[in-house]
Amino acid sequence: MRVLLAGGGTAGHTSPLLATAAALLRDDPSVEITCLGTTTGLEARLIPEAGFPLEFVPRMPLPRKPGKAMLQFPGKMRAQRAAALEIVDRIKPDVVVGFGGYVSVPAYLAARKRGIPFVVHEGNALPGIANRLGARLTPYVATSFPDTPLTARGGRPALYTGLPIRRMISTLDRTALRAEGRSAFGLDADRPTLLVTGGSQGAQRINAAVSGAAGALGGAGVQVLHVIGPRNELVVEEQGAPYKVVNYVDRMDLALAAADAVLCRCGSNTVTETSGVGLPAVYVPLPIGNGEQALNAAPVVEAGGGLLVADADLDAAWIADNLVPLVTDPQRLAAMGQAAAHVIPLDADDKLAALTVEAARSGRSAHRRKNR
């Protein structure tokens, strides 16, 4: 079986793509996987590092407002679809899987043009334009969150699979790995521990608020592992407890195991990973976009596994008044962790791989019927 996986631009598209690829190969090592992306997104580095061939289409963000970009859009879309068609004709995939974003649209259109079945996976609680388009053209649609307003062709309900994530996270035993995690980051073995992350690029608002509350955190005995982002700088003086600042974490399993709670954005990967491993979270939605981040966190918050605070409300005083009491309350943390752990499934990679195989088989069956 040959599979073309389309997604990129951000970790929100690339990470589930790689998790699905790994699941397909676990089920059948003979599967041939090719990925579709751009030369400028995270996929240009992450996919080759994972050992998969990567084909490129031109980068073309969808215009949101009237103007020159919108007038140029039809011509650029034709060029992007032509590039995807050339790749599809050369690779001859049995099935295409798209994870949203501007890379997926030409993949969906090329698959439809050639009569190849394709699968749409939506990473956010609020579907993007690319997947709203793709879902209208295929019966194979999956979502990461319950109640995502997305239906497949003919009104068929989307399959709620969850979001495919890395096995190192989905199989993580935080208790068993806690001591190793704290040692790896130079943290004390027994202090309450707060993990802070603003996503793959960091978040200035979160960085400023938490560093400004270093005195309140340290004074309460709370140690901090603060992932500030690869391009950011931050110097924090420790005040009573360790405050470790790192730009990037390769072993996120160790960081999650080290923590008793996390302060973070609520992208789909972050929500799935933190809740899936039972880590109590304070979610701070990105203040731009269509509000999808708050919707991503909503099921976990409603279940009692997390708190939601608006970006504009997050400052050092809020952390001192709200987060410090939480991180120093073991019973409350335990209850939140148990609530979070049962909200979002952690086997989405296997479920999406199975849906991909189902779509490929349907295409082969249709091809045999056509050629009888």
Side-chain angles (χ1 to χ4, degrees):
M1 185 174 70
R2 292 185 294 275
V3 183
L4 179 65
L5 303 177
T10 67
H13 297 138
T14 306
S15 294
L17 180 156
L18 291 173
T20 303
L24 286 164
L25 288 172
R26 282 198 307 273
D27 183 62
D28 181 0
S30 71
V31 171
E32 297 178 14
I33 293 174
T34 304
C35 301
L36 187 69
T38 70
T39 58
T40 57
L42 281 176
E43 69 274 16
R45 176 176 63 86
L46 295 180
I47 288 176
E49 285 180 356
F52 297 108
L54 178 61
E55 298 281 345
F56 299 107
V57 294
R59 183 182 185 275
M60 190 191 65
L62 300 174
R64 304 284 179 175
K65 299 178 181 179
K68 183 178 180 181
M70 186 167 286
L71 293 174
Q72 295 174 336
F73 180 75
K76 290 183 176 180
M77 173 56 74
R78 284 193 292 271
Q80 202 180 37
R81 193 190 74 154
L85 276 171
E86 187 278 327
I87 294 166
V88 165
D89 289 343
R90 175 162 40 86
I91 293 172
K92 295 180 172 54
D94 297 293
V95 62
V96 173
V97 185
F99 294 85
Y102 43 76
V103 171
S104 292
V105 174
Y108 298 151
L109 295 178
R112 184 169 183 258
K113 178 73 172 178
R114 295 296 186 251
I116 299 169
F118 66 92
V119 178
V120 170
H121 183 273
E122 175 54 52
N124 286 304
L126 186 65
I129 294 174
N131 280 347
R132 291 205 303 268
L133 169 64
R136 297 174 62 182
L137 307 175
T138 179
Y140 304 103
V141 179
T143 65
S144 298
F145 297 97
D147 303 320
T148 298
L150 194 65
T151 55
R153 188 181 68 197
R156 177 177 173 176
L159 177 66
Y160 169 43
T161 60
L163 181 79
I165 61 172
R166 297 166 290 181
R167 294 283 288 180
M168 73 159 58
I169 306 299
S170 64
T171 61
L172 174 63
D173 183 335
R174 287 177 49 232
T175 301
L177 209 59
R178 178 170 294 130
E180 181 182 350
R182 293 188 176 181
S183 175
F185 294 107
L187 298 167
D188 290 348
D190 299 318
R191 289 184 184 272
T193 304
L194 174 67
L195 171 64
V196 180
T197 173
S200 60
Q201 301 305 311
Q204 291 290 355
R205 182 84 180 192
I206 291 176
N207 290 349
V210 179
S211 60
L217 290 160
V222 176
Q223 61 186 351
V224 178
L225 173 58
H226 192 156
V227 187
I228 62 172
R231 296 184 178 87
N232 297 323
E233 295 182 5
L234 184 67
V235 178
V236 180
E237 183 178 349
E238 294 183 357
Q239 302 182 51
Y243 194 116
K244 303 298 181 181
V245 177
V246 296
N247 289 97
Y248 184 77
V249 171
D250 286 317
R251 289 288 306 274
M252 199 62 188
D253 57 329
L254 293 178
L256 294 172
D260 294 303
V262 59
L263 175 68
C264 55
R265 292 293 192 203
C266 28
S268 54
N269 277 293
T270 300
V271 172
T272 301
E273 292 186 353
T274 56
S275 66
V277 301
L279 185 62
V282 174
Y283 294 113
V284 187
L286 193 69
I288 59 175
N290 298 317
E292 64 271 15
Q293 287 212 347
L295 293 174
N296 291 346
V300 181
V301 174
E302 290 168 3
L307 303 177
L308 195 69
V309 55
D311 186 82
D313 294 335
L314 184 72
D315 56 20
W318 191 95
I319 291 171
D321 294 341
N322 298 277
L323 189 53
V324 169
L326 171 62
V327 183
T328 53
D329 186 342
Q331 291 183 333
R332 187 181 175 195
L333 289 175
M336 289 179 66
Q338 290 177 357
H342 301 290
V343 177
I344 298 175
L346 290 179
D347 59 349
D349 52 346
D350 290 328
K351 289 177 181 175
L352 192 60
L355 185 63
T356 300
V357 172
E358 178 187 339
R361 287 174 176 166
S362 75
R364 290 173 178 172
S365 297
H367 181 75
R368 284 195 296 269
R369 289 194 299 269
K370 183 180 179 180
N371 289 281
R372 280 176 182 172

